[in-house]
Amino acid sequence: MNRRALLAAGSALGLAAVPGVALAAPSSQLPTRAQVLAVMQRVNDYWIAANANPGNNQWARATYFCGNMAHYRASGTRKYLDYAVAWAEQSAYGLNGGNTTRIADNHCAGQTYLDLYELLGGANKIAAIEDSLRRMVNSTARDDWWWVDALHMAMPPFARLGALRNDTSFWLTMYQLYHSTKRLQPDQQGRVTGLAAESTALWYRDSAYTIDGSAQASPSGKPVLWSRGNGWAIAAHAKVLKVVPLSNKRGPEYANTLRSMAATLAPLQRSDGFWNVNLADPDHFGGPETSGTAFFAFGIAYGIGAGLLDRATYLPVLARAWNGMVATAVRADGFLGYCQDVGAAPAAVDPGRTADFGVGAFLMAGAEVAALTS
């Protein structure tokens, strides 16, 4: 599908691309690998210098460490690994809420614990995340993931433990929880709708935003399709597909969902390379936003590298996203701005706003971009 076809597809969905606001159009060519790694280093070094204490094991900081570990794997720079070890040891490789937690946000830390286990060994590193997810496997409840963020937080550790232990019960439970989020979550009237907006291939953040006659809408009455919420979704699919093969019964569904999301997102990209905070309404806090854009770049870059997305079609989309973030959101000293705060819906964004999860998403995207360059 070429750029013109993508634009036509977006128009058919009733969603429209929007020009950037007084920002130069970025290049459609990817920089070199060395240039990508240099920007990643600048951003990550700034974050680490500003956060000598690596922080808690909750979802926001855990998402940063997903990016930090991706940076380590891409660069081989030991200090990034050491920083992750210090963070994990500070929490004794434990989970917020303890091993009995079923809250997906609390499982995000397990992604880095699994990284460290794979690199350094030590059964203690994954004891808590494995125990917690095993408890969920052995239970009957499958409706825990009622918000879209949960997909990114918890699907990857389920997928990875299934592969590590050669135990498909982790994959089955993961799919059942995913299926509930996608198709079975009730709307505000109690009707079963799920969070996937099938007509657009995008996702609502939770049932408060699904279209049921009483759901929240933008000031102009359009749907609320939150950028970062959809970023969580596409990133989750990419991370799962790194582990679950297409030959698996559910592999094609994960792959087709990523493809459909990418096809919908491409024509919605702003001319400055970013995506708006509300993908359905560019006037709803319109302007560049880094966290959603970085997650989209991560998912699209993975899709290109894995052969799931046509390189000629999507590489310019990816290049504009990466180059736009570097030109607009990355300060000379490495501060990453334009990150929307913690929330569940679009909100105001400005160049002075940063966030640990935004830095993590940027580093994750950078690692995938670097893998496509030379």
Side-chain angles (χ1 to χ4, degrees):
M1 186 180 290
N2 59 29
R3 177 72 173 170
R4 182 175 296 177
L6 287 173
L7 289 170
S11 178
L13 291 170
L15 305 174
V18 175
V21 179
L23 296 174
S27 169
S28 297
Q29 301 294 319
L30 285 180
T32 66
R33 176 181 174 82
Q35 290 170 326
V36 173
L37 291 175
V39 174
M40 293 172 68
Q41 179 179 340
R42 181 155 40 110
V43 169
N44 205 6
D45 286 357
Y46 182 94
W47 179 266
I48 293 172
N51 294 272
N53 183 326
N56 61 39
N57 61 357
Q58 297 177 26
W59 69 267
R61 195 55 58 96
T63 300
Y64 159 75
F65 276 99
C66 291
N68 176 71
M69 289 304 298
H71 187 191
Y72 169 71
R73 289 191 296 271
S75 68
T77 303
R78 179 75 191 200
K79 67 179 177 181
Y80 304 129
L81 177 62
D82 292 343
Y83 190 56
V85 169
W87 170 76
E89 289 182 347
Q90 184 166 282
S91 294
Y93 294 93
L95 303 178
N96 184 49
N99 291 14
T100 60
T101 185
R102 298 181 63 90
I103 300 172
D105 288 350
N106 295 336
H107 291 141
C108 189
Q111 297 186 50
T112 295
Y113 299 160
L114 281 156
D115 286 338
L116 295 174
Y117 172 79
E118 290 171 3
L119 288 165
L120 304 173
N124 67 302
K125 293 181 175 62
I126 59 171
I129 186 62
E130 184 168 7
D131 180 37
S132 188
L133 297 195
R134 180 70 70 182
R135 290 168 184 266
M136 293 186 72
V137 168
N138 291 337
S139 73
T140 58
R142 294 293 185 264
D143 60 353
D144 298 84
W145 297 350
W146 53 264
W147 71 113
V148 73
D149 317 35
L151 302 183
H152 169 268
M153 307 305 174
M155 286 184 78
F158 268 102
R160 293 172 67 180
L161 280 166
L164 178 66
R165 299 306 187 206
N166 193 28
D167 184 347
T168 56
S169 66
F170 285 102
W171 289 2
L172 175 59
T173 301
M174 175 182 72
Y175 182 78
Q176 291 168 337
L177 288 157
Y178 167 82
H179 177 72
S180 175
T181 307
K182 192 175 190 179
R183 300 186 179 93
L184 303 181
Q185 287 299 307
D187 65 18
Q188 294 291 291
Q189 304 302 318
R191 297 171 295 194
V192 174
T193 61
L195 301 186
E198 298 286 358
S199 62
T200 64
L202 299 177
W203 298 68
Y204 298 108
R205 195 271 178 178
D206 58 56
S207 64
Y209 300 96
T210 53
I211 301 303
D212 65 356
S214 65
Q216 296 188 45
S218 76
S220 59
K222 295 179 181 178
V224 176
L225 292 168
W226 184 37
S227 182
R228 188 164 69 240
N230 279 277
W232 294 126
I234 198 170
H237 286 81
K239 289 185 175 185
V240 167
L241 286 163
K242 284 176 177 279
V243 180
V244 177
L246 292 178
S247 59
N248 178 265
K249 180 180 180 180
R250 303 303 181 186
E253 180 178 348
Y254 297 137
N256 288 335
T257 301
L258 186 147
R259 289 190 190 102
S260 297
M261 290 191 71
T264 301
L265 289 165
L268 302 180
Q269 187 179 33
R270 295 158 49 94
S271 63
D272 56 21
F274 289 82
W275 278 265
N276 288 297
V277 290
N278 186 351
L279 299 171
D281 188 349
D283 296 323
H284 190 193
F285 298 109
E289 198 284 311
T290 299
S291 64
T293 297
F295 279 124
F296 296 150
F298 168 71
I300 291 170
Y302 168 77
I304 295 169
L308 299 175
L309 299 176
D310 178 66
R311 187 181 182 98
T313 300
Y314 287 97
L315 201 63
V317 177
L318 173 62
R320 285 190 291 269
W322 178 258
N323 293 330
M325 288 190 292
V326 171
T328 301
V330 179
R331 252 176 18 195
D333 61 2
F335 177 90
L336 183 75
Y338 287 105
C339 294
Q340 187 194 335
D341 290 341
V342 172
V349 183
D350 64 57
R353 295 176 187 266
T354 194
D356 39 12
F357 51 82
V359 174
F362 182 83
L363 295 173
M364 286 164 49
E368 294 297 325
V369 170
L372 297 175
T373 60
S374 58

